Amino acid sequence: MARIAVIGAGTGAMAAAARLSVAGHRVTVYERSETYGGSLGRYARDGFVFDTGPGLLHLPAVYRDLFVKTGKESLEQCVTLTQVDPASRHLFADGTEVSLPNASRAGVVRALDRALGEGAGARWGDFLDRAGTAWDRSRRPLLEEPLPEDPRMLSRDPYPAVRRRRLLRAARQAATVAEVGARELADPRLAALLDGYALSYGLDPRRAPAAAALLPYMEETFGTWYVAGGMRALADAVYERCLARKVEFVFGAEAVRVSEKDGRAAGIELADGRSVEADHVVLGAQPSPGLLPVPGPVPGAGPGGAHRAPVPGRFVVLLSLRGAREAGAAHRTLVHAVDPGAEQEAVFGGRTAERPTVTVLRPDDPATRPDEDHEAVTLTATVAPHGPVDWTDAALRGRFADVVIGRAAEAMPGLRERILHTEVRTPAETAAVTGAEGGSVPAPALAGAGGAYLHAGNRTPLPGLYLAGGWAHPGGGTAHAGMSGALVAGLVVEGDGFRGSQ
């Protein structure tokens, strides 16, 4: 039985901890804050309850597998999952509106044809077929296996972009998300639909490789799910599973350094001066300066170890509303940017956008509101991180919150008149809660672009030190974090010969 110290209590770290404890190891989790869950936070006031991080779950199979492998009770015995239908409603800049059904390719094609004109659905369907090919080509090495020591196999884009022949000139094919939208989708609204997927994950459509087509493919193929009570309920369930498997938690314990002895990880040092011995250390959070004892790839860096600038964060507005949620209201609505190019310039150029893309979440869940005469609504926009933008500036926060509410009002007429209370969360709060530089939210790993969108591997150059969570392979997002926990547990239990789930 090995002693294992886990730094951080996010979902990826807890997923690793539960699996390692089941394998017979003695596991202790050290968390700098006073609670678990990482980005899966909760805010409650006067009977209103909100998620402060992700509000929907994709690829629930990741957590189904975790619960199967760590106990008798299945995921569905611990939380209530419902498919969100429609999966999303979209309001485009020209006033066009479309609602896309959940996990129905044929239904999506029909909806797009009705809303955008004959042929729009077929173009989107053909695009998803190509995205499916990219999924088949990269799924195992990108999501289900540890990152190889030589990641060049993932440097090539798996998306089979359409080659456009040109008279007396070389054939041209899309290499980025924006180019796929312009050249293959051939409709600014379909392009905005694709851009919206990329932007929601903090990716710049102008630079992200075409392989980002995996993101809409995963959502539209495997569905969008809501956890009753909010995503925090999933974090609660994973935490309870850890406790049931005898994982110990120490809160208010900030790790400041991984200790080394005889060329391998030997434990951690805490901010209060305590030293903890361990046979293995799992780092499930973005490290502070000096945390790692040897140079090498770290969360926030690519496989080669080069430091990356902070990526975008999220600006969240939590609205307590008077008045009942109307029957048939969509759970998720995207109000797309009036000028997508200007929004992208702002978000990735360190400024605030004038009329950004805003996601409106309206769960039909009694657990989120005091009674049927009220409603809890969450608004989210992808924004530049704290640093380039000073998100502690009260005046700026207020102005941008008003912009976000104004955009949401396009989807919810009369919204402003219903507001009882407004709570704002910015990248500054994210940085304080999670420790992520600039309040950045890590994006999922992508193949292509020479490996620039890969994350640091779960192994490190220091034997005995492993990386889990959104800042490590295979990247950010609740599902991807859960995958990282499975990969780390496999590496610890089976050694470097571990090649992932079969």
Side-chain angles (χ1 to χ4, degrees), residues 172-219:
R172 182 176 63 179
Q173 61 188 137
T176 67
V177 169
E179 289 175 354
V180 170
R183 299 175 185 177
E184 298 183 8
L185 298 178
D187 184 310
R189 296 162 298 184
L190 291 178
L193 182 61
L194 177 57
D195 284 358
Y197 280 105
L199 191 65
S200 69
Y201 286 96
L203 295 165
D204 185 347
R206 303 165 303 171
R207 297 179 176 86
L214 292 180
L215 303 176
Y217 176 83
M218 287 191 294
E219 287 197 23

Side-chain angles (χ1 to χ4, degrees), residues 54-143:
L56 295 169
L57 179 64
H58 305 292
L59 292 177
V62 172
Y63 289 91
R64 290 190 179 113
D65 182 70
L66 171 65
F67 277 73
V68 165
K69 299 292 177 56
T70 59
K72 295 180 180 180
E73 300 84 10
S74 68
L75 175 64
E76 277 81 355
Q77 288 176 293
C78 299
V79 298
T80 300
L81 293 177
T82 56
Q83 281 195 305
V84 176
D85 205 359
S88 55
R89 171 187 174 219
H90 298 265
L91 274 63
F92 297 106
D94 67 351
T96 306
E97 176 180 335
V98 63
S99 291
L100 303 180
N102 198 343
S104 170
R105 176 77 62 84
V108 167
V109 168
R110 287 194 298 269
L112 290 172
D113 276 342
R114 286 194 300 266
L116 308 186
E118 194 69 27
R123 287 195 298 278
W124 184 258
D126 290 344
F127 156 72
L128 286 181
D129 286 340
R130 293 188 291 275
T133 298
W135 168 263
D136 292 337
R137 289 174 174 174
S138 61
R139 173 178 59 87
R140 280 196 60 80
L142 187 67
L143 301 177

Side-chain angles (χ1 to χ4, degrees), residues 473-497:
H473 178 73
T478 306
H480 290 69
M483 294 177 197
S484 78
L487 293 174
V488 165
L491 288 167
V492 172
V493 173
E494 299 186 26
D496 287 343

